Structure formats: structure tokens, C-alpha cells
Amino acid sequence: MPRLFGTDGVRGLANRELTADLALGLAQAAAAVLTQGRHADELRAAGRRPVAVVARDPRVSGEFLTAAVSAGLASSGVDVLDAGVIPTPATAFLIDSIGADFGVMISASHNPAPDNGIKFFSFGGTKLPDEVEDRIESHLGRQKLAPTGDGVGRIRRFADAEDRYVVHLLGTLPNRLEGLKVVLDCAHGAAAGVSPETFRDAGAEVIVIGADPDGMNINDGVGSTHLEPLQRAVLEHGADLGIAHDGDADRCLAVDAEGRVVDGDRIMAILAVSMHERGMLTDDTLVVTVMSNLGLRRAMAERGIRVVETRVGDRYVLEALAEGGFALGGEQSGHVIMTEFATTGDGVLTGLHLAAEVARTGRTLAELASVMTVYPQVLVNVRDVDHHGLDDDAGIADAVREVEAELGDTGRVLLRPSGTEPMVRVMVEASEQDAADAHAARLAEVVRTRLAR
């Protein structure tokens, strides 16, 4: 039976795979698991119930899923603070800020509106490790906490949730944004209220698109997965830069004044160099995943910045950041984590600090982004193969070594199996697009032949 929790919570088609019953059961199981141990003993000694922050993005199914999650928690003796529609990183911040015992975010991030998801955060606003998620999953169907009388939880509105988050964001900025014209694409998502307000309060002139959520238009042709509207708006308004969020605003991608995309790797490069120069980059180290571009690694090496590499997934970046006590990390997709200010990827925070660097230096975003050269990167998904045999196949290993020898230090090869389907992902980077295309096609054919089912 496949694991219920994926790389970022439980996701599925709302009301088909992710039902009210499942949401209720997950909340009850989470309450049982996350209120155990020493912390639970301290709560009992203090004579108070556990407290959980619950929030959602604006997709319509979030309304009934929030009701189900809140009911499951309250029926298990947990007081619920309903923060309404706010970004995922705002939820994490609020859990930590008010000392809540845990929290729940209902969102499917960059997925289309019919999908939804449930993400749990522990005390301190951090994501749950795999073993804790497994304990919650194994608790489904078992006896639930069932207090009565004054033991049941209460559900209250977290009235100033958004204001607290905005104040926090503004307090992180090293300088203000006066003189900048910024276009924000809020993906008709959770950032629609927070992001424009914060950028304006920071002093920027703001043009907003994708900020009219109706429950079904989240990520629909806008946001970080559809950058064309942002590119057009930046050019139309003569803006200095554009910032794109995804549905729950844990991502940030950017567009420069000429309409060119600045991806997560370049954003990390800009922030890493700035923090390095200002003595704020802990151990002169940046944490990235295996998918980050070779150009980022080279640019960091040239500036004396060490790169630590993890598996794909922001949770693995977070683990490496925590283990090393590092300050900055993220993914090419725009999940950028600044650990001094956040416990998870925060698209609004990232966008603010990127804009602040433009304002501080007086340089354009394009000039700042030129700190790294992006190597052509080709990704080929080889489907319907025995992906479990990838690591043990000598023929594939020989083919990879041959390509690596031909590329030398001007390129990179990465083969990795899918964790969810019979597929191998073949990634090749090279100094020339034609070379990357040819090598990727060659390796994909070897994989297809050697691992045919």
C-alpha cells in the first residue's frame, strides 16, 4: 500500500481522494500523536489544552476541509485558532510566534484548484519528519482522543493573523524599497492580500495581477507556473522587476525589467553573494538540491561559497539547513529558505529581500542575476521502465561515465528514479544546448533499452 504522506503532506483530488472523512481522521490522528510526550505532560501540568493554528489557501474545497480538520482537532481536545486564508509560511511563522503546539495548512500549493492537501507543522513551525508522519498515518482507524465536557477544544478566529505576519516580514528587511516599481503576481492565491500590502508598506510602487481569488482560479494561467502574464505586465508598466508567487506563496520566481525570467537558482545566487559580502551567510555555505544548475555551483565556488547538495524536495533542504546551522538554501523552483527569518520556504519574504538588494545596490535585477551563467539543462523523463534497477545496471553506468568524460568540467549528468511511478529522469547540463540535447537523448535511449519492462 503506498504511503499516504507525500513529499509535502497529503494531497489528492478534493472530495474524491482527499475527503472530509479523511481530513477528520488525519486531524484526530495528528492530535493523538502530536500531543504526546514531555510537551503533553507540561500542558497537563499547566492546566491548559493544546493549541493548533489552522489556515488554508483560497481554493473552494479548503472551506469544507478546514471545517473537517477543525472538528477533528477540537473533538480531540485541541483549541483551534482559525487563521483563514494566509500563505503557508505565514502559518509556520504564527505557530512559532505565538507558541502554538502545532498547526495545519490546507493547500495544494501550485496544483490546480480541484486538488487540495493537508500539511502539518510541529511546535516551532517546522515540517514533520517522515517518522512522525508515519506515526500519524498508522494511527488512522485506531482509538481517538475523545474528551468530554470542558475537555473538548474550542474553535476561535485568529483575527490578527495577517497583520502579525506583515509586521514580521517588514521587520526582516535590511532597507526600504522606495524608488522601485514592482509587479506582483499572486496566482489568485493565498498571497493576494499579504504580498501587495507588505511591498507597499516597504515603500515600493506596486502593480498587482492575479489577486482576485474566487475559489477556482488559483494558479490558473498565472503565478510562478505561468510567468507570461507577469512578463507582459513588467514590460507594459516599465517596472524594475516582477515577483511571482504560487498558490500558497511558499515560492518566488522573478522577472527582470526586460521580461527575462530569474529562477530560483539565480535568486539564491543573488542572496548568497549579498549575505556573504555582509557577513550573514553562515559558514559561507549555500544548500541546494541536485537539480540546481551547474552555473550556480561554479558561481559560488568563484566567490568562496561552499555548496551543500541534497535530494530534491524542500524538506531535505530544510533538514540540511538545520543539521548544519546554515542560513540560506532552496530549490531551482523558487522555494528559498532564509533560516534567520523563516522555518520554511517563504515566497513573500524572498521577493522582499530580492527587491531590497536591487534597492540597496542601485543595480538592476539583470545585473545582479549575471552573477551566474545558466548552463543549458535538458531533462528527459523515460517512462514505463523498471526504475528500481537503475543503480545496479552496469550498461547504464558505463554510458554515464562516457558522457561525463566527454563533458569534462563543462557539464554534468544526473539520473534518478521517480519515487512514485515507473520512470527515470535523465538530466544533462552542458555549455552548449545542442550538446545537452544530444547527450540527454543518448542516455535516455540507453535507459529505455536497458530497463525495458
Side-chain angles (χ1 to χ4, degrees):
M1 186 176 182
R3 188 172 183 265
L4 183 61
F5 282 86
T7 57
D8 199 15
V10 178
R11 288 194 193 180
L13 181 61
N15 219 27
R16 184 74 55 80
E17 298 156 352
L18 188 57
T19 63
D21 286 343
L22 178 57
L24 178 74
L26 279 169
Q28 291 173 323
V33 170
L34 298 176
T35 58
Q36 292 176 347
R38 188 179 69 180
H39 188 63
D41 294 338
E42 293 172 353
L43 288 175
R44 281 190 287 272
R48 76 168 180 88
R49 291 185 292 268
V51 175
V53 176
V54 176
R56 64 182 180 90
D57 71 25
R59 65 192 76 211
V60 64
S61 60
E63 297 172 4
F64 78 77
L65 290 171
T66 297
V69 165
S70 297
L73 296 177
S75 68
S76 301
V78 178
D79 285 342
V80 174
L81 289 175
D82 185 347
V85 175
I86 57 172
T88 291
T91 306
F93 161 73
L94 290 167
I95 294 164
D96 184 38
S97 176
I98 69 169
D101 300 284
F102 62 99
V104 188
M105 179 68 188
I106 297 164
S107 171
S109 189
H110 59 281
N111 284 25
D115 293 337
N116 218 324
I118 299 176
K119 309 176 190 183
F120 292 96
F121 291 89
S122 63
F123 181 76
T126 59
K127 291 188 176 182
L128 304 184
D130 289 348
E131 58 268 23
V132 177
E133 290 181 339
D134 289 340
R135 284 167 52 201
I136 292 173
E137 186 170 338
S138 68
H139 211 283
L140 281 169
R142 291 164 56 181
Q143 185 174 358
K144 307 296 188 291
L145 302 175
T148 58
D150 65 0
V152 301
R154 306 293 298 273
I155 301 174
R156 296 184 175 90
R157 181 84 174 94
F158 197 155
D160 62 343
E162 188 172 300
D163 291 340
R164 285 173 179 256
Y165 179 54
V166 170
V167 170
H168 160 67
L169 291 171
L170 292 171
T172 71
L173 283 175
N175 53 270
R176 291 186 52 82
L177 308 183
E178 272 86 6
L180 289 187
K181 181 186 288 189
V182 182
V183 179
L184 300 177
D185 184 346
C186 300
H188 297 310
V194 167
S195 190
E197 177 184 352
T198 310
F199 272 84
R200 288 188 180 111
D201 286 351
E205 179 184 348
V206 177
I207 297 99
V208 186
I209 64 173
D212 298 301
D214 63 9
M216 288 302 299
N217 60 357
I218 189 169
N219 302 314
D220 187 7
V222 290
S224 62
T225 52
H226 303 278
L227 291 171
E228 297 84 1
L230 179 61
Q231 292 171 299
R232 290 194 297 269
V234 166
L235 294 174
E236 176 187 347
H237 293 279
D240 296 292
L241 70 154
I243 298 294
H245 304 303
D246 62 337
D248 69 336
D250 62 356
R251 293 189 189 190
C252 168
L253 294 180
V255 169
D256 69 22
E258 302 301 317
R260 293 179 294 251
V261 174
V262 178
D263 69 3
D265 281 347
R266 283 187 158 176
I267 291 171
M268 285 190 289
I270 292 167
L271 295 179
V273 169
S274 173
M275 293 170 68
H276 175 65
E277 291 174 348
R278 292 180 288 136
M280 299 177 62
L281 191 66
T282 308
D283 291 341
D284 297 320
T285 298
L286 172 67
V287 180
V288 304
T289 76
V290 294
M291 289 304 294
S292 275
N293 194 271
L294 177 61
L296 175 61
R297 292 167 170 80
R298 289 197 153 194
M300 296 300 96
E302 290 170 3
R303 287 158 180 81
I305 297 173
R306 182 169 71 106
V307 172
V308 171
E309 191 175 272
T310 76
R311 295 163 56 188
V312 174
D314 67 321
R315 66 161 51 204
Y316 304 113
V317 175
L318 282 161
E319 287 174 3
L321 288 167
E323 288 170 7
F326 304 129
L328 181 67
E331 296 186 279
Q332 192 179 60
S333 61
H335 282 115
V336 177
I337 304 152
M338 306 177 73
T339 58
E340 181 180 356
F341 309 119
T343 60
T344 188
D346 189 328
V348 183
L349 177 75
T350 301
L352 285 166
H353 281 256
L354 184 64
E357 185 64 7
V358 174
R360 183 183 76 85
T361 61
R363 301 176 68 194
T364 67
L365 180 56
E367 289 172 330
L368 293 174
S370 68
V371 69
M372 68 167 277
T373 299
V374 177
Y375 277 56
Q377 186 180 82
V378 176
L379 180 65
V380 179
N381 292 326
V382 186
R383 302 181 184 277
D384 199 27
V385 292
D386 179 16
H387 59 307
H388 297 296
L390 176 63
D391 293 336
D392 300 322
D393 192 286
I396 294 175
D398 288 342
V400 169
R401 279 192 292 270
E402 289 176 9
V403 171
E404 288 177 334
E406 292 177 27
L407 290 170
D409 62 358
T410 66
R412 187 169 68 104
V413 175
L414 176 67
L415 271 62
R416 61 188 184 94
S418 168
T420 58
E421 55 185 314
M423 179 172 71
V424 171
R425 293 183 171 89
V426 177
M427 189 275 285
V428 176
E429 289 173 342
S431 57
E432 301 294 336
Q433 185 69 53
D434 289 346
D437 290 336
H439 288 310
R442 171 180 162 191
L443 288 175
E445 185 56 33
V446 173
V447 170
R448 191 175 292 110
T449 302
R450 301 284 302 186
L451 301 183
R453 299 177 76 188

